[in-house]
Amino acid sequence: MSEDLKILDEVTNSEYKYGFVSNIESDNAPKGLDESTVRFISAKKNEPEWLLEWRLKAFRHWLTLEEPTWANVHYPKIDFQDIIYYSAPKKKPSLNSLDELDPEIKATFDKLGISLIEQQRLAGVAVDAVIDSVSVKTTFRETLGELGIIFCSFSEAVHDHPDLIKRYLGSVVPHTDNFYAALNSAVFSDGSFCYIPKGVRCPMELSTYFRINSAGTGQFERTLIIAEEGSFVSYLEGCTAPMRDENQLHAAIVEIVSHTDATVKYSTVQNWYPGDKNGKGGIYNFVTKRGICMGDRAKISWTQVETGSAITWKYPSVILKGDYSVGEFYSVAVTNNMQQADTGTKMIHLGKKTKSIIISKGISCGKSQNSYRGLVRIAKKAEHARNFSQCDSLLIGDKCGAHTFPYIEVGNKTAKVEHEATTSKVGEDQIFYCNQRGISTEDAVNLIVNGYCKEVFNQLPMEFAVEAQKLLAISLEGSVG
Amino acid sequence: MLRIKNLQASVEGKKILNGLNLEVKPGEVHAIMGPNGSGKSTLASVLAGREEYEVEGGTVQFLGNDLLDMSPEDRARAGVFLAFQYPVEIPGVSNANFLKTAVNEVRKSRNLAPMDSKEFLQIMKEKMKLVEMDKAMTQRSVNEGFSGGEKKRNEIFQMAMLEPTLAILDETDSGLDIDALRIVSNGVNALRDGNRSFIVITHYQRLLDYIVPDFVHVLYKGRIVKSGTKELALELEEKGYDWIKEEVAVGA
């Protein structure tokens, strides 16, 4: 990926005021994790004292925690001392031209229909053409600036908007939330910050791609989105292109605050390297994503298409605090070969007449294991809260597994909670029917699976939806013998 | 066009077809009748290439090619169409999208460029009239929530879109009321053009009042035991199958 060292240079070249001694010259933190690692990262980013303290508090808490084992995923124990927790983004492009790119990745790019310029950007190729996209970014930033929308890297926000960060950081996902949230809070590298002022409707889909100065976000990303009263934003995370990363462990946090009458739509396409057919390599993706509907009639909608990673552990959730607030979760999770996914959502109803909807489509092929895990909690005071959940599992082949773990806790008698679950196989009858109309078995499976995921794809912004369909086709490749 | 010689096939180890012979020339309509379990639907499935049906002997030539050697999708692309007795539902996939995929697959196999959306919609509109189909039906998921009659009409509509060389209708009349039967038959008749051939599998003579066949064959115990013209169908309607069974018993 193309990177920009400007911020980092500014940060590291200015005088450091907080009395910390370490090897600031080095680009990488030494392997392992102790308090000095946390101090190193904070110093590298020239962070204010309060943030260092915040990180240290999280780190000390993390030391008291045990790695969670309740998820339905299996992997060798992670050695947390064998990880480099900070490495400066590399400025130099890794390749001189696309010809040097791994042919397999190149082929996937082509199948996804990614433009040449975009391919070069993703592959980290240095060419003049990329400058075009930089100017595009600048135009976007100007448009957003006129509306008072802030969209920048997390590090920038720490320096430019400390009050907002201080107020909201950890307000939705506190460092005490879970093992990986604590770890992220201690060592997070960078991420995105987004602020939509009162009454503003963000005129474009905000994509991490258009974030100026986006350095390599690294393995411990942190995103914070704040939508003030009556505002609207649609945020896109990720990219359908295959992402390779030398870091095996990823533990990101996303926090969303939606105030009265505000709506935040958050769409993810996750396509990290899943490992090879035998389960070698691949990213461990342990993410904590949560939003809070602070005010009345606030709305948060999560849509995710998860096709990558060796292990996915992820439960984008909504706390429905305001009365009449709405939480939505639309998910497609595909696992192939040896992939494992344990994903779902939590809908915590606190306010009156709050509403949530959960549509989860799990697709398992190969020898993969795919679990839906979801919690719907209706608090005592959540009068007339409503939830509808639909969890469907689709099996392709007979060596994979689909599991559903729904948890429902209802504390108020006026609540209405519905849960529907189905498990089906891509039928031979369906495939034969398609065959008889001239459609090959592979295309038939794509057609059937896409139809199966339609409700979720419909929630994605148009462009993303088209890409997601293609991505699905690639993820399913070789799933039928 | 189609030449079936001594075809023998079994399903789950049970032999159903026992040396079936049939020749269909371009433009001909052949009706295949016969009592339950005589092998009518098996014949349709074997010709379409359904995997569970095992061919144990015989040959099938289609337009000079060995049909049995082709995959189901290649048979379809070569012009074999099966109107299913029980059309399958594909949730979430619109009829229009499904057909567009199918039409373009067939075109691709013939080295034709994919049809653009405008052209496709135009043709779809024309063909929908053939089976008096509602526009809304093209936007609904393939066969999902369709009534029995709608499903059968949809089969004929697909046939009209795919313009096959050989169409096999597997008990298309089953479960149809008289109005639906008329609509479906009109659709089929509109597609008779002197070149396209049909194999019409049915239990009842009634369908053949609408789709008038050139030949009628009686299938019994996996073999064609009697062939004739449309009058044979009337005779069967009147006398049932017992006299044929007796004839076979005597002959054996």
Side-chain angles (χ1 to χ4, degrees), chain A residues 454-473:
Chain A
K454 199 177 180 186
E455 280 168 280
V456 175
F457 286 169
N458 281 347
Q459 297 297 324
L460 289 170
M462 190 61 175
E463 235 181 273
F464 236 34
V466 173
E467 286 187 23
Q469 282 186 18
K470 291 186 194 161
L471 177 61
L472 197 63

Side-chain angles (χ1 to χ4, degrees), chain A residues 205-422:
Chain A
E205 315 277 351
L206 287 188
S207 148
T208 38
Y209 170 41
F210 292 118
R211 198 187 63 218
I212 287 271
N213 293 334
S214 65
T217 40
Q219 49 195 138
F220 302 103
E221 196 172 352
R222 184 132 199 152
T223 301
L224 176 58
I225 298 170
I226 298 146
E228 289 285 12
E229 193 178 326
S231 66
F232 171 90
V233 63
S234 169
Y235 187 94
L236 312 182
E237 174 207 292
C239 169
T240 50
M243 303 289 267
R244 280 180 193 256
D245 193 306
E246 59 203 63
N247 301 307
Q248 194 172 32
L249 175 66
H250 279 239
I253 288 181
V254 176
E255 296 181 279
I256 296 176
V257 180
S258 186
H259 286 285
T260 306
D261 290 313
T263 296
V264 178
K265 242 178 100 75
Y266 191 106
S267 312
T268 311
V269 171
Q270 185 265 116
N271 191 20
W272 293 101
Y273 182 55
D276 68 11
K277 285 201 171 74
N278 304 313
K280 197 166 173 287
I283 304 289
Y284 294 175
N285 195 23
F286 300 132
V287 190
T288 307
K289 290 184 168 180
R290 190 175 305 147
I292 182 163
C293 291
M294 285 293 271
D296 294 351
R297 295 169 304 277
K299 181 175 169 181
I300 293 173
S301 179
W302 298 99
T303 305
Q304 60 173 22
V305 177
E306 303 279 326
T307 59
S309 296
I311 296 171
T312 300
W313 180 98
K314 175 178 173 185
Y315 316 91
S317 307
V318 184
I319 300 168
L320 297 138
K321 189 168 171 237
D323 294 344
Y324 302 95
S325 59
V326 177
E328 296 177 339
F329 175 73
Y330 299 95
S331 169
V332 167
V334 184
T335 51
N336 199 352
N337 298 319
M338 301 295 283
Q339 280 177 279
Q340 305 175 60
D342 192 305
T343 184
T345 184
K346 288 191 265 185
M347 293 290 175
I348 314 291
H349 292 255
L350 303 177
K352 285 178 197 135
K353 299 210 171 175
T354 45
K355 257 195 336 203
S356 65
I357 182 163
I358 298 169
I359 308 284
S360 163
K361 305 275 181 177
I363 299 152
S364 335
C365 18
K367 293 178 182 166
S368 67
Q369 296 293 328
N370 202 327
S371 304
Y372 167 81
R373 187 183 302 275
L375 168 68
V376 175
R377 177 183 292 154
I378 312 283
K380 228 175 182 170
K381 288 180 179 164
E383 302 267 337
H384 299 287
R386 287 191 60 176
N387 161 268
F388 174 77
S389 303
Q390 186 184 327
C391 304
D392 297 332
S393 307
L394 188 68
L395 300 166
I396 301 175
D398 54 9
K399 292 188 179 67
C400 52
H403 316 270
T404 307
F405 305 96
Y407 305 85
I408 297 172
E409 300 170 14
V410 179
N412 186 301
K413 278 183 186 163
T414 60
K416 195 173 163 191
V417 176
E418 291 170 78
H419 181 94
E420 287 179 9
T422 66

Side-chain angles (χ1 to χ4, degrees), chain A residues 437-459:
Chain A
R437 299 302 183 246
I439 301 166
S440 70
T441 299
E442 188 155 312
D443 289 343
V445 170
N446 279 335
L447 201 68
I448 295 163
V449 172
N450 263 302
Y452 174 79
C453 300
K454 199 177 180 186
E455 280 168 280
V456 175
F457 286 169
N458 281 347
Q459 297 297 324

